[in-house]
Amino acid sequence: MTVARAAFVLAAGLLCSLSAPAPLEASELSHGLSAFGDLAQPEDFEAFAYVDPDAPKGGALSLIGWGGVTTFNSLNNYILKGDAAQGLDLLFDSLMVRAQDEPDAVYGLIAESAEVADDRKSVTFYLRPEARFSDGTPVTADDVVFSFETLKEKGHPLFSQMLRDVETAEALDPATVRYTFTGDLVRDLPLTVAGLPVFSKAYYAGKTFDETTLEPPLGSGPYLVDGFKQGRTITYRRNPDYWAKDLPVNKGRWNLDTIRFEYFRDRTAGMEAFKAGTYDLREEFTSKVWATEYDFPAVQDGRVKKETVPDLTPSGTQGFFINTRRDKFKDKRVREALALAFDFEWTNRNMFFSLYDRTQSYFENSPMKAEGEPSDGERTLIEGLGVEVDADALGPVAMPPVSDGSGRDRNLLREASKLLDEAGWRIQNKKRVNDKGEQLTVEFLTFEPSFERIIAPYVKNLELLGIAARIRRVDPAQYQQRLKDFDFDVTTQRYVMRNTPGASCAAISAPAPRISGAP
Protein backbone atom coordinates (compact mmCIF):
# COMPACT_ATOMS: atom_id res chain seq x y z
CA MET A 1 0.00 0.00 0.00
CA THR A 2 1.13 3.53 -0.67
CA VAL A 3 0.24 6.76 1.08
CA ALA A 4 1.73 9.75 -0.73
CA ARG A 5 1.77 13.44 0.10
CA ALA A 6 -0.21 15.43 -2.43
CA ALA A 7 -0.88 19.12 -3.01
CA PHE A 8 -4.11 20.19 -4.65
CA VAL A 9 -4.29 23.44 -6.57
CA LEU A 10 -7.72 25.07 -6.55
CA ALA A 11 -8.80 27.85 -8.88
CA ALA A 12 -12.07 29.66 -9.50
CA GLY A 13 -13.54 29.10 -12.96
CA LEU A 14 -13.95 32.09 -15.26
CA LEU A 15 -17.10 31.65 -17.32
CA CYS A 16 -17.05 33.13 -20.81
CA SER A 17 -19.83 33.54 -23.35
CA LEU A 18 -18.86 33.75 -27.00
CA SER A 19 -21.44 34.77 -29.57
CA ALA A 20 -18.85 34.90 -32.35
CA PRO A 21 -15.29 33.66 -32.77
CA ALA A 22 -13.07 35.84 -30.61
CA PRO A 23 -9.93 37.30 -32.20
CA LEU A 24 -6.76 35.52 -31.20
CA GLU A 25 -4.12 37.18 -29.11
CA ALA A 26 -0.79 37.63 -30.84
CA SER A 27 0.59 34.14 -31.23
CA GLU A 28 3.00 32.07 -33.28
CA LEU A 29 2.16 29.29 -35.71
CA SER A 30 4.01 26.08 -34.82
CA HIS A 31 4.42 22.53 -36.12
CA GLY A 32 4.03 21.24 -32.58
CA LEU A 33 3.01 22.13 -29.04
CA SER A 34 4.77 21.80 -25.71
CA ALA A 35 3.63 22.38 -22.14
CA PHE A 36 6.93 24.20 -21.61
CA GLY A 37 7.19 26.07 -24.92
CA ASP A 38 10.28 24.30 -26.25
CA LEU A 39 10.27 21.61 -28.95
CA ALA A 40 13.16 19.23 -29.56
CA GLN A 41 12.30 18.71 -33.23
CA PRO A 42 12.64 21.51 -35.80
CA GLU A 43 9.89 22.29 -38.26
CA ASP A 44 11.63 20.31 -41.03
CA PHE A 45 12.43 17.20 -38.96
CA GLU A 46 12.33 13.96 -40.93
CA ALA A 47 11.49 11.43 -38.20
CA PHE A 48 11.58 10.96 -34.45
CA ALA A 49 15.08 10.25 -33.13
CA TYR A 50 14.06 6.95 -31.54
CA VAL A 51 12.87 5.27 -34.77
CA ASP A 52 14.60 3.89 -37.84
CA PRO A 53 12.98 5.76 -40.75
CA ASP A 54 14.14 3.00 -43.11
CA ALA A 55 12.75 0.12 -41.06
CA PRO A 56 11.34 -2.59 -43.35
CA LYS A 57 7.63 -3.16 -43.52
CA GLY A 58 6.05 -6.57 -43.06
CA GLY A 59 5.69 -9.43 -40.64
CA ALA A 60 3.22 -10.22 -37.90
CA LEU A 61 3.13 -9.90 -34.12
CA SER A 62 0.86 -11.66 -31.66
CA LEU A 63 0.70 -10.84 -27.95
CA ILE A 64 -1.56 -10.94 -24.93
CA GLY A 65 -1.60 -7.18 -24.50
CA TRP A 66 -0.71 -4.84 -21.69
CA GLY A 67 -4.09 -3.97 -20.19
CA GLY A 68 -4.53 -7.01 -17.98
CA VAL A 69 -8.04 -7.66 -19.30
CA THR A 70 -9.13 -11.19 -20.09
CA THR A 71 -12.09 -10.72 -22.41
CA PHE A 72 -13.87 -8.20 -24.66
CA ASN A 73 -17.40 -7.69 -25.93
CA SER A 74 -17.17 -4.35 -27.71
CA LEU A 75 -15.20 -2.47 -30.36
CA ASN A 76 -15.88 0.91 -28.77
CA ASN A 77 -13.17 1.81 -26.26
CA TYR A 78 -14.27 5.40 -25.63
CA ILE A 79 -17.34 4.73 -23.49
CA LEU A 80 -17.95 3.30 -20.03
CA LYS A 81 -20.29 0.57 -21.18
CA GLY A 82 -18.88 -2.82 -22.18
CA ASP A 83 -15.38 -4.29 -22.22
CA ALA A 84 -13.46 -2.98 -25.21
CA ALA A 85 -10.90 -4.92 -27.20
CA GLN A 86 -7.28 -3.88 -26.89
CA GLY A 87 -5.54 -2.05 -29.71
CA LEU A 88 -8.52 -0.05 -30.95
CA ASP A 89 -6.49 3.14 -30.68
CA LEU A 90 -4.61 1.87 -33.77
CA LEU A 91 -7.68 2.82 -35.81
CA PHE A 92 -7.82 6.50 -34.94
CA ASP A 93 -5.59 9.48 -35.63
CA SER A 94 -5.51 12.66 -33.56
CA LEU A 95 -4.70 16.25 -34.44
CA MET A 96 -1.19 15.82 -33.11
CA VAL A 97 0.87 12.91 -31.80
CA ARG A 98 2.99 12.71 -28.66
CA ALA A 99 6.79 12.50 -28.86
CA GLN A 100 7.94 9.67 -26.63
CA ASP A 101 11.34 11.21 -25.86
CA GLU A 102 10.02 14.58 -24.61
CA PRO A 103 8.15 15.21 -21.33
CA ASP A 104 5.08 16.85 -22.86
CA ALA A 105 5.31 17.66 -26.55
CA VAL A 106 3.13 16.84 -29.56
CA TYR A 107 3.73 17.22 -33.29
CA GLY A 108 1.34 17.61 -36.20
CA LEU A 109 -0.60 14.65 -37.58
CA ILE A 110 -4.10 15.53 -38.84
CA ALA A 111 -3.22 19.14 -38.01
CA GLU A 112 -0.29 20.53 -39.93
CA SER A 113 0.22 23.33 -37.42
CA ALA A 114 -1.30 25.09 -34.43
CA GLU A 115 -1.14 28.39 -32.61
CA VAL A 116 -1.86 29.06 -28.96
CA ALA A 117 -3.06 32.50 -27.91
CA ASP A 118 -0.71 34.42 -25.64
CA ASP A 119 -3.24 34.28 -22.82
CA ARG A 120 -3.40 30.46 -23.29
CA LYS A 121 -7.21 30.67 -23.42
CA SER A 122 -7.52 29.26 -26.93
CA VAL A 123 -5.69 27.13 -29.48
CA THR A 124 -6.30 26.98 -33.22
CA PHE A 125 -5.42 23.96 -35.38
CA TYR A 126 -4.93 24.02 -39.15
CA LEU A 127 -5.77 20.68 -40.75
CA ARG A 128 -3.86 18.99 -43.56
CA PRO A 129 -5.95 18.92 -46.76
CA GLU A 130 -4.79 15.36 -47.47
CA ALA A 131 -6.13 13.93 -44.18
CA ARG A 132 -8.51 11.06 -44.91
CA PHE A 133 -10.59 8.44 -43.16
CA SER A 134 -9.98 4.87 -44.23
CA ASP A 135 -13.00 5.01 -46.59
CA GLY A 136 -11.38 7.89 -48.50
CA THR A 137 -13.56 10.70 -47.17
CA PRO A 138 -11.75 13.85 -45.98
CA VAL A 139 -11.19 14.69 -42.32
CA THR A 140 -12.71 18.13 -41.73
CA ALA A 141 -13.04 20.64 -38.91
CA ASP A 142 -16.65 19.50 -38.46
CA ASP A 143 -15.38 15.99 -37.69
CA VAL A 144 -13.01 17.40 -35.05
CA VAL A 145 -15.77 19.44 -33.40
CA PHE A 146 -18.14 16.46 -33.49
CA SER A 147 -15.50 14.25 -31.86
CA PHE A 148 -14.89 16.70 -29.02
CA GLU A 149 -18.59 17.25 -28.31
CA THR A 150 -19.34 13.53 -28.48
CA LEU A 151 -16.53 12.53 -26.12
CA LYS A 152 -17.44 15.24 -23.63
CA GLU A 153 -21.18 14.48 -23.65
CA LYS A 154 -21.36 10.72 -24.36
CA GLY A 155 -17.87 9.34 -23.83
CA HIS A 156 -16.35 7.70 -20.77
CA PRO A 157 -16.86 9.95 -17.70
CA LEU A 158 -13.12 10.48 -17.55
CA PHE A 159 -13.35 12.47 -20.79
CA SER A 160 -15.87 14.88 -19.28
CA GLN A 161 -13.51 15.36 -16.34
CA MET A 162 -10.51 15.83 -18.58
CA LEU A 163 -12.35 18.31 -20.82
CA ARG A 164 -14.35 20.19 -18.21
CA ASP A 165 -12.42 23.43 -18.79
CA VAL A 166 -12.59 23.16 -22.58
CA GLU A 167 -15.49 25.51 -23.22
CA THR A 168 -16.04 25.30 -26.97
CA ALA A 169 -14.74 23.82 -30.19
CA GLU A 170 -15.54 25.80 -33.35
CA ALA A 171 -15.04 25.03 -37.02
CA LEU A 172 -13.86 28.39 -38.37
CA ASP A 173 -13.73 26.89 -41.88
CA PRO A 174 -13.47 23.31 -43.22
CA ALA A 175 -9.77 23.13 -42.32
CA THR A 176 -9.55 25.25 -39.15
CA VAL A 177 -10.64 24.43 -35.62
CA ARG A 178 -10.44 26.63 -32.55
CA TYR A 179 -10.76 25.38 -28.98
CA THR A 180 -11.55 27.91 -26.24
CA PHE A 181 -10.73 27.31 -22.57
CA THR A 182 -12.06 28.65 -19.30
CA GLY A 183 -10.49 28.99 -15.87
CA ASP A 184 -6.85 29.44 -14.91
CA LEU A 185 -5.47 25.88 -15.13
CA VAL A 186 -5.08 25.85 -18.91
CA ARG A 187 -1.41 24.96 -19.37
CA ASP A 188 -2.02 21.38 -20.54
CA LEU A 189 -5.32 21.84 -22.37
CA PRO A 190 -3.87 22.52 -25.87
CA LEU A 191 -2.03 19.19 -25.65
CA THR A 192 -5.09 17.46 -24.25
CA VAL A 193 -7.35 18.42 -27.15
CA ALA A 194 -4.54 17.80 -29.65
CA GLY A 195 -4.46 14.17 -28.53
CA LEU A 196 -8.19 13.41 -28.78
CA PRO A 197 -9.24 10.78 -31.35
CA VAL A 198 -11.03 12.14 -34.38
CA PHE A 199 -14.23 10.39 -35.49
CA SER A 200 -16.20 10.67 -38.72
CA LYS A 201 -19.33 12.74 -38.17
CA ALA A 202 -20.98 11.21 -41.23
CA TYR A 203 -20.23 7.65 -40.08
CA TYR A 204 -21.88 8.16 -36.70
CA ALA A 205 -24.90 10.04 -38.13
CA GLY A 206 -26.90 6.82 -38.15
CA LYS A 207 -25.27 5.14 -35.13
CA THR A 208 -25.51 5.48 -31.36
CA PHE A 209 -22.06 6.38 -30.08
CA ASP A 210 -22.58 5.48 -26.42
CA GLU A 211 -23.61 1.87 -27.07
CA THR A 212 -21.41 -1.19 -27.33
CA THR A 213 -20.89 -2.58 -30.81
CA LEU A 214 -19.04 -5.35 -32.59
CA GLU A 215 -19.00 -3.45 -35.88
CA PRO A 216 -15.45 -2.29 -36.69
CA PRO A 217 -15.53 1.52 -36.52
CA LEU A 218 -14.36 3.88 -39.24
CA GLY A 219 -11.12 5.65 -38.39
CA SER A 220 -8.24 7.43 -40.07
CA GLY A 221 -5.36 5.61 -38.38
CA PRO A 222 -2.65 3.23 -39.62
CA TYR A 223 -4.56 -0.03 -39.01
CA LEU A 224 -7.91 -1.64 -39.78
CA VAL A 225 -9.74 -4.44 -37.98
CA ASP A 226 -8.92 -7.58 -39.95
CA GLY A 227 -11.00 -10.04 -37.92
CA PHE A 228 -11.91 -11.10 -34.42
CA LYS A 229 -13.50 -13.79 -32.28
CA GLN A 230 -15.36 -12.16 -29.41
CA GLY A 231 -13.53 -12.57 -26.14
CA ARG A 232 -10.76 -14.66 -27.71
CA THR A 233 -8.72 -12.77 -30.30
CA ILE A 234 -8.66 -9.64 -32.46
CA THR A 235 -6.36 -8.92 -35.41
CA TYR A 236 -5.44 -5.56 -36.93
CA ARG A 237 -4.11 -5.18 -40.50
CA ARG A 238 -1.88 -2.32 -41.62
CA ASN A 239 -3.74 -0.08 -44.04
CA PRO A 240 -1.65 0.13 -47.24
CA ASP A 241 -3.53 3.28 -48.21
CA TYR A 242 -2.96 5.05 -44.90
CA TRP A 243 -2.94 8.71 -45.76
CA ALA A 244 -0.26 9.74 -43.21
CA LYS A 245 2.26 6.93 -43.63
CA ASP A 246 4.97 9.26 -44.98
CA LEU A 247 4.59 12.10 -42.48
CA PRO A 248 7.60 12.77 -40.20
CA VAL A 249 5.65 11.67 -37.11
CA ASN A 250 5.01 8.27 -38.75
CA LYS A 251 8.22 7.45 -40.60
CA GLY A 252 9.76 4.30 -39.19
CA ARG A 253 6.56 3.42 -37.33
CA TRP A 254 3.62 1.10 -38.00
CA ASN A 255 5.86 -1.46 -39.69
CA LEU A 256 4.03 -4.70 -38.89
CA ASP A 257 1.53 -6.01 -41.42
CA THR A 258 -0.65 -7.54 -38.70
CA ILE A 259 -0.98 -7.26 -34.92
CA ARG A 260 -3.01 -9.87 -33.06
CA PHE A 261 -4.14 -9.70 -29.43
CA GLU A 262 -4.89 -12.99 -27.71
CA TYR A 263 -7.17 -13.34 -24.67
CA PHE A 264 -7.03 -15.99 -21.95
CA ARG A 265 -9.32 -16.40 -18.97
CA ASP A 266 -6.44 -16.97 -16.55
CA ARG A 267 -2.69 -16.58 -16.44
CA THR A 268 -1.90 -20.25 -16.33
CA ALA A 269 -3.66 -20.83 -19.62
CA GLY A 270 -1.94 -17.78 -21.10
CA MET A 271 1.49 -19.01 -20.04
CA GLU A 272 0.90 -22.53 -21.35
CA ALA A 273 -0.22 -21.05 -24.68
CA PHE A 274 3.01 -19.07 -24.85
CA LYS A 275 5.07 -22.20 -24.19
CA ALA A 276 3.19 -23.87 -27.04
CA GLY A 277 3.99 -21.00 -29.42
CA THR A 278 0.43 -19.69 -29.72
CA TYR A 279 1.64 -16.09 -29.60
CA ASP A 280 4.98 -14.26 -29.92
CA LEU A 281 5.44 -11.68 -27.19
CA ARG A 282 4.73 -11.82 -23.48
CA GLU A 283 5.49 -9.17 -20.88
CA GLU A 284 5.69 -11.01 -17.58
CA PHE A 285 4.01 -9.46 -14.54
CA THR A 286 4.21 -12.40 -12.12
CA SER A 287 7.46 -12.80 -10.20
CA LYS A 288 6.86 -16.47 -9.42
CA VAL A 289 6.35 -17.30 -13.09
CA TRP A 290 9.40 -15.24 -14.07
CA ALA A 291 11.58 -17.02 -11.51
CA THR A 292 10.37 -20.58 -11.99
CA GLU A 293 8.70 -21.19 -15.35
CA TYR A 294 10.98 -19.74 -18.02
CA ASP A 295 13.08 -22.84 -18.41
CA PHE A 296 11.00 -24.63 -21.04
CA PRO A 297 12.69 -26.06 -24.17
CA ALA A 298 12.10 -23.04 -26.41
CA VAL A 299 14.00 -20.86 -23.93
CA GLN A 300 16.80 -23.39 -23.56
CA ASP A 301 17.42 -23.71 -27.30
CA GLY A 302 17.10 -19.96 -27.99
CA ARG A 303 13.78 -19.90 -29.85
CA VAL A 304 12.40 -17.76 -27.02
CA LYS A 305 14.56 -14.95 -25.65
CA LYS A 306 14.15 -14.01 -22.00
CA GLU A 307 15.30 -10.47 -21.32
CA THR A 308 15.06 -8.00 -18.46
CA VAL A 309 14.77 -4.54 -20.00
CA PRO A 310 15.83 -1.61 -17.79
CA ASP A 311 12.99 0.83 -17.34
CA LEU A 312 14.00 4.42 -16.63
CA THR A 313 10.51 5.81 -17.13
CA PRO A 314 8.07 6.70 -14.35
CA SER A 315 6.65 3.39 -13.17
CA GLY A 316 3.52 4.70 -11.48
CA THR A 317 2.04 2.90 -8.52
CA GLN A 318 0.71 -0.56 -7.83
CA GLY A 319 -0.88 -1.90 -4.72
CA PHE A 320 -4.06 -2.40 -2.76
CA PHE A 321 -6.63 0.33 -3.40
CA ILE A 322 -9.28 0.98 -0.76
CA ASN A 323 -12.76 2.17 -1.74
CA THR A 324 -13.12 5.29 0.41
CA ARG A 325 -16.67 5.77 -0.82
CA ARG A 326 -17.60 3.23 1.85
CA ASP A 327 -18.14 4.73 5.28
CA LYS A 328 -16.05 2.15 7.12
CA PHE A 329 -12.92 3.29 5.27
CA LYS A 330 -13.40 7.06 5.50
CA ASP A 331 -11.34 7.37 8.69
CA LYS A 332 -7.68 7.48 7.67
CA ARG A 333 -6.73 5.62 10.86
CA VAL A 334 -8.62 2.58 9.57
CA ARG A 335 -6.77 2.76 6.26
CA GLU A 336 -3.43 3.16 8.01
CA ALA A 337 -4.20 0.14 10.19
CA LEU A 338 -4.89 -1.93 7.07
CA ALA A 339 -1.53 -0.84 5.65
CA LEU A 340 0.30 -1.83 8.84
CA ALA A 341 -1.14 -5.35 8.66
CA PHE A 342 0.40 -6.12 5.25
CA ASP A 343 3.92 -7.54 5.62
CA PHE A 344 5.66 -6.59 2.38
CA GLU A 345 9.11 -7.75 3.49
CA TRP A 346 7.87 -11.27 4.23
CA THR A 347 5.79 -11.33 1.05
CA ASN A 348 8.66 -10.12 -1.14
CA ARG A 349 11.05 -12.74 0.21
CA ASN A 350 8.64 -15.68 0.23
CA MET A 351 6.26 -14.87 -2.63
CA PHE A 352 8.05 -12.47 -4.96
CA PHE A 353 11.51 -14.10 -4.94
CA SER A 354 12.89 -10.74 -3.69
CA LEU A 355 12.40 -9.29 -7.17
CA TYR A 356 10.40 -6.21 -6.15
CA ASP A 357 11.12 -2.84 -4.60
CA ARG A 358 8.19 -1.39 -2.72
CA THR A 359 6.17 1.38 -4.33
CA GLN A 360 6.36 4.56 -2.27
CA SER A 361 4.70 7.11 -4.54
CA TYR A 362 2.19 7.56 -7.33
CA PHE A 363 5.15 9.03 -9.24
CA GLU A 364 7.60 6.21 -8.50
CA ASN A 365 10.89 6.30 -10.40
CA SER A 366 10.45 9.92 -11.42
CA PRO A 367 11.52 13.40 -10.25
CA MET A 368 7.93 14.05 -9.11
CA LYS A 369 8.22 11.49 -6.32
CA ALA A 370 7.91 13.22 -2.93
CA GLU A 371 10.85 12.60 -0.62
CA GLY A 372 11.78 13.82 2.86
CA GLU A 373 10.39 17.08 4.24
CA PRO A 374 8.35 19.44 2.05
CA SER A 375 10.33 22.38 0.73
CA ASP A 376 9.55 25.95 1.72
CA GLY A 377 7.85 26.42 -1.63
CA GLU A 378 5.66 23.37 -1.08
CA ARG A 379 4.70 24.56 2.39
CA THR A 380 3.80 27.99 1.06
CA LEU A 381 1.68 26.44 -1.68
CA ILE A 382 -0.15 24.09 0.68
CA GLU A 383 -0.74 26.70 3.38
CA GLY A 384 -1.98 29.21 0.79
CA LEU A 385 -4.76 27.03 -0.57
CA GLY A 386 -7.34 28.74 1.61
CA VAL A 387 -8.74 25.44 2.85
CA GLU A 388 -8.09 23.30 5.88
CA VAL A 389 -5.12 21.01 5.23
CA ASP A 390 -4.25 17.88 7.17
CA ALA A 391 -1.17 18.47 9.30
CA ASP A 392 0.44 15.36 7.79
CA ALA A 393 0.70 17.19 4.45
CA LEU A 394 3.14 19.62 6.06
CA GLY A 395 5.32 16.92 7.60
CA PRO A 396 7.69 14.29 6.23
CA VAL A 397 6.45 12.26 3.29
CA ALA A 398 4.38 9.26 4.37
CA MET A 399 6.25 6.00 3.92
CA PRO A 400 4.93 2.44 3.98
CA PRO A 401 5.83 0.49 7.13
CA VAL A 402 8.90 -1.75 7.21
CA SER A 403 8.28 -5.02 9.04
CA ASP A 404 10.64 -7.46 10.71
CA GLY A 405 9.89 -9.91 7.89
CA SER A 406 8.31 -12.48 10.17
CA GLY A 407 4.95 -12.33 8.44
CA ARG A 408 3.29 -11.23 11.70
CA ASP A 409 5.20 -8.25 13.05
CA ARG A 410 3.80 -7.84 16.57
CA ASN A 411 4.84 -4.20 16.85
CA LEU A 412 3.06 -3.22 13.63
CA LEU A 413 -0.05 -5.24 14.50
CA ARG A 414 -0.12 -3.65 17.95
CA GLU A 415 0.08 -0.19 16.34
CA ALA A 416 -2.71 -1.13 13.90
CA SER A 417 -4.90 -2.30 16.80
CA LYS A 418 -4.37 1.01 18.60
CA LEU A 419 -5.40 2.99 15.51
CA LEU A 420 -8.55 0.93 15.10
CA ASP A 421 -9.42 1.52 18.76
CA GLU A 422 -9.02 5.26 18.25
CA ALA A 423 -11.24 5.11 15.16
CA GLY A 424 -14.06 3.53 17.19
CA TRP A 425 -13.53 -0.09 16.18
CA ARG A 426 -12.92 -2.00 19.43
CA ILE A 427 -12.52 -5.66 20.28
CA GLN A 428 -15.56 -7.47 21.69
CA ASN A 429 -15.59 -11.25 21.88
CA LYS A 430 -12.52 -11.32 19.59
CA LYS A 431 -14.35 -9.27 16.95
CA ARG A 432 -13.56 -5.72 15.84
CA VAL A 433 -16.88 -3.88 16.14
CA ASN A 434 -18.18 -0.30 16.15
CA ASP A 435 -20.57 1.28 18.66
CA LYS A 436 -23.49 -0.33 16.80
CA GLY A 437 -22.04 -3.78 17.27
CA GLU A 438 -21.25 -4.15 13.56
CA GLN A 439 -18.08 -6.05 12.78
CA LEU A 440 -15.47 -4.47 10.53
CA THR A 441 -15.32 -6.47 7.31
CA VAL A 442 -12.85 -6.29 4.44
CA GLU A 443 -13.40 -8.07 1.13
CA PHE A 444 -10.60 -8.30 -1.44
CA LEU A 445 -12.03 -8.38 -4.95
CA THR A 446 -10.02 -10.24 -7.59
CA PHE A 447 -10.45 -12.33 -10.71
CA GLU A 448 -6.96 -13.85 -10.68
CA PRO A 449 -6.27 -17.09 -8.77
CA SER A 450 -2.59 -16.08 -8.57
CA PHE A 451 -3.48 -13.13 -6.35
CA GLU A 452 -5.01 -15.36 -3.71
CA ARG A 453 -1.67 -16.67 -2.46
CA ILE A 454 -0.56 -13.06 -1.89
CA ILE A 455 -3.76 -11.94 -0.20
CA ALA A 456 -4.26 -15.03 2.00
CA PRO A 457 -1.47 -14.22 4.53
CA TYR A 458 -2.73 -10.64 4.64
CA VAL A 459 -6.23 -11.92 5.46
CA LYS A 460 -4.82 -13.91 8.38
CA ASN A 461 -3.13 -10.79 9.81
CA LEU A 462 -6.38 -8.85 9.55
CA GLU A 463 -8.20 -11.67 11.33
CA LEU A 464 -5.69 -11.34 14.17
CA LEU A 465 -6.96 -7.78 14.53
CA GLY A 466 -10.57 -9.01 14.79
CA ILE A 467 -11.46 -8.00 11.24
CA ALA A 468 -13.66 -10.33 9.19
CA ALA A 469 -11.55 -10.46 6.01
CA ARG A 470 -12.06 -12.62 2.96
CA ILE A 471 -11.13 -13.00 -0.68
CA ARG A 472 -13.87 -12.66 -3.27
CA ARG A 473 -12.94 -14.08 -6.69
CA VAL A 474 -15.31 -13.35 -9.54
CA ASP A 475 -15.17 -13.90 -13.29
CA PRO A 476 -13.35 -11.24 -15.32
CA ALA A 477 -16.49 -9.65 -16.77
CA GLN A 478 -18.07 -9.30 -13.32
CA TYR A 479 -14.81 -7.94 -11.94
CA GLN A 480 -14.61 -5.19 -14.53
CA GLN A 481 -18.27 -4.27 -14.00
CA ARG A 482 -17.88 -4.13 -10.21
CA LEU A 483 -14.92 -1.78 -10.59
CA LYS A 484 -16.98 0.52 -12.80
CA ASP A 485 -19.79 0.46 -10.22
CA PHE A 486 -17.35 0.95 -7.29
CA ASP A 487 -18.80 -2.21 -5.81
CA PHE A 488 -15.77 -3.41 -3.84
CA ASP A 489 -13.89 -2.91 -0.57
CA VAL A 490 -10.28 -3.41 -1.68
CA THR A 491 -8.75 -4.41 -5.00
CA THR A 492 -5.35 -4.36 -6.68
CA GLN A 493 -4.52 -1.88 -9.43
CA ARG A 494 -1.63 -0.25 -11.19
CA TYR A 495 -1.78 3.35 -12.43
CA VAL A 496 0.86 5.14 -14.50
CA MET A 497 0.79 8.90 -14.21
CA ARG A 498 1.73 11.56 -16.75
CA ASN A 499 5.30 12.82 -16.85
CA THR A 500 4.09 16.33 -16.08
CA PRO A 501 1.58 16.59 -13.21
CA GLY A 502 -1.25 18.99 -13.76
CA ALA A 503 -4.96 19.61 -13.32
CA SER A 504 -5.83 16.77 -15.69
CA CYS A 505 -3.11 14.37 -14.56
CA ALA A 506 -5.36 11.82 -12.86
CA ALA A 507 -8.05 12.04 -15.49
CA ILE A 508 -5.60 11.28 -18.29
CA SER A 509 -3.88 8.47 -16.47
CA ALA A 510 -6.89 6.64 -15.12
CA PRO A 511 -8.36 5.26 -18.38
CA ALA A 512 -5.40 2.96 -18.70
CA PRO A 513 -4.96 1.05 -15.47
CA ARG A 514 -2.74 -1.99 -15.64
CA ILE A 515 -4.33 -4.49 -13.34
CA SER A 516 -2.05 -7.33 -14.30
CA GLY A 517 1.14 -6.21 -12.61
CA ALA A 518 0.74 -8.89 -10.05
CA PRO A 519 2.53 -11.26 -7.79
Side-chain angles (χ1 to χ4, degrees):
M1 293 183 184
T2 299
V3 181
R5 184 176 70 234
F8 298 89
V9 180
L10 307 178
L14 176 63
L15 300 178
C16 302
S17 176
L18 300 178
S19 56
L24 284 173
E25 301 280 346
S27 55
E28 183 178 350
L29 200 65
S30 176
H31 63 294
L33 299 171
S34 169
F36 306 103
D38 298 323
L39 293 170
Q41 301 296 338
E43 184 173 359
D44 60 350
F45 81 103
E46 296 183 359
F48 287 127
Y50 50 83
V51 303
D52 177 2
D54 299 318
K57 305 289 185 182
L61 176 69
S62 56
L63 68 163
I64 58 172
W66 48 82
V69 293
T70 60
T71 187
F72 71 91
N73 56 23
S74 175
L75 299 186
N76 185 348
N77 62 327
Y78 296 106
I79 60 175
L80 180 63
K81 191 174 182 179
D83 302 315
Q86 294 186 98
L88 289 167
D89 53 315
L90 296 170
L91 306 181
F92 297 97
D93 277 338
S94 52
L95 292 173
M96 292 188 161
V97 63
R98 186 171 294 275
Q100 299 300 321
D101 57 351
E102 295 180 64
D104 266 304
V106 293
Y107 293 87
L109 182 52
I110 291 177
E112 184 174 21
S113 58
E115 56 183 338
V116 179
D118 284 352
D119 63 1
R120 309 290 294 183
K121 292 299 180 70
S122 65
V123 59
T124 303
F125 295 95
Y126 301 92
L127 278 55
R128 299 180 191 272
E130 67 270 28
R132 291 288 186 275
F133 291 104
S134 59
D135 65 352
T137 57
V139 179
T140 69
D142 283 338
D143 295 310
V144 178
V145 173
F146 165 78
S147 303
F148 160 74
E149 293 175 345
T150 300
L151 286 171
K152 189 170 183 178
E153 296 172 11
K154 300 180 180 180
H156 193 289
L158 289 166
F159 282 108
S160 62
Q161 295 176 33
M162 182 169 62
L163 300 172
R164 63 185 180 273
D165 290 333
V166 184
E167 192 170 45
T168 60
E170 305 168 85
L172 304 185
D173 61 47
T176 309
V177 178
R178 179 186 299 172
Y179 286 93
T180 305
F181 313 131
T182 186
D184 297 321
L185 304 179
V186 298
R187 182 197 67 188
D188 300 331
L189 291 180
L191 280 74
T192 298
V193 297
L196 294 176
V198 175
F199 309 126
S200 166
K201 182 178 180 180
Y203 173 80
Y204 284 101
K207 296 177 173 60
T208 304
F209 180 83
D210 53 355
E211 291 291 335
T212 60
T213 179
L214 289 174
E215 177 184 338
L218 174 66
S220 61
Y223 284 84
L224 307 168
V225 175
D226 194 44
F228 65 91
K229 295 180 180 179
Q230 182 180 338
R232 294 179 58 189
T233 183
I234 183 167
T235 302
Y236 299 93
R237 172 175 50 86
R238 183 163 56 88
N239 183 0
D241 300 320
Y242 177 41
W243 72 273
K245 59 186 177 182
D246 295 322
L247 291 182
V249 294
N250 281 331
K251 284 186 178 178
R253 305 176 68 208
W254 319 123
N255 302 314
L256 293 162
D257 282 344
T258 63
I259 301 173
R260 187 178 80 248
F261 291 89
E262 297 282 352
Y263 288 78
F264 299 92
R265 288 289 181 172
D266 62 68
R267 297 187 184 198
T268 300
M271 181 61 182
E272 292 304 315
F274 182 64
K275 292 178 181 179
T278 303
Y279 58 97
D280 306 319
L281 179 64
R282 176 181 176 89
E283 184 179 1
E284 187 54 64
F285 299 106
T286 305
S287 57
K288 180 183 178 182
V289 175
W290 183 253
T292 64
E293 296 191 30
Y294 281 86
D295 57 354
F296 51 93
V299 173
Q300 295 172 356
D301 63 24
R303 285 178 291 132
V304 168
K305 292 185 178 181
K306 175 185 175 183
E307 295 188 9
T308 301
V309 181
D311 185 4
L312 302 180
T313 61
S315 59
T317 186
Q318 180 183 353
F320 295 107
F321 282 78
I322 303 169
N323 185 2
T324 57
R325 292 168 181 81
R326 299 201 161 168
D327 289 339
K328 59 187 175 182
F329 300 131
K330 290 186 181 299
D331 193 313
K332 72 175 183 179
R333 292 170 295 189
V334 173
R335 303 194 298 273
E336 185 176 351
L338 297 184
L340 290 167
F342 179 68
D343 193 327
F344 173 81
E345 283 65 37
W346 181 90
T347 305
N348 193 30
R349 186 178 69 250
N350 292 279
M351 302 280 188
F352 298 152
F353 296 82
S354 299
L355 290 174
Y356 290 158
D357 293 322
R358 190 162 196 184
T359 298
Q360 298 176 348
S361 169
Y362 284 93
F363 299 95
E364 193 68 36
N365 201 34
S366 81
M368 284 78 75
K369 176 181 176 180
E371 295 180 298
E373 297 274 353
S375 66
D376 292 340
E378 287 176 312
R379 288 179 182 274
T380 300
L381 174 63
I382 295 171
E383 292 171 344
L385 292 177
V387 295
E388 185 178 353
V389 176
D390 193 301
D392 288 345
L394 299 174
V397 63
M399 299 291 289
V402 178
S403 76
D404 60 12
S406 66
R408 294 185 179 181
D409 188 311
R410 291 179 179 273
N411 291 330
L412 294 182
L413 291 175
R414 190 178 297 114
E415 186 178 348
S417 181
K418 180 181 177 182
L419 287 169
L420 291 169
D421 286 342
E422 293 173 358
W425 295 94
R426 301 183 181 277
I427 291 289
Q428 290 182 10
N429 299 321
K430 297 183 179 181
K431 296 181 180 180
R432 186 71 62 174
V433 299
N434 60 14
D435 55 5
K436 298 179 182 179
E438 301 167 333
Q439 186 175 11
L440 179 57
T441 61
V442 176
E443 182 181 87
F444 294 88
L445 184 67
T446 182
F447 67 94
E448 290 276 15
S450 59
F451 271 107
E452 294 183 19
R453 70 186 184 92
I454 306 304
I455 301 172
Y458 187 16
V459 165
K460 291 181 179 179
N461 277 354
L462 293 175
E463 290 173 342
L464 290 174
L465 295 171
I467 299 171
R470 67 169 184 168
I471 302 169
R472 173 74 168 180
R473 179 153 62 97
V474 298
D475 65 76
Q478 185 180 356
Y479 176 82
Q480 293 177 45
Q481 189 59 50
R482 287 186 62 171
L483 286 189
K484 292 176 181 178
D485 295 337
F486 302 109
D487 182 17
F488 66 92
D489 283 348
V490 182
T491 190
T492 53
Q493 291 279 337
R494 180 185 177 196
Y495 290 99
V496 179
M497 309 302 284
R498 281 183 52 173
N499 288 336
T500 305
S504 59
C505 183
I508 292 175
S509 302
R514 296 178 65 172
I515 60 178
S516 59

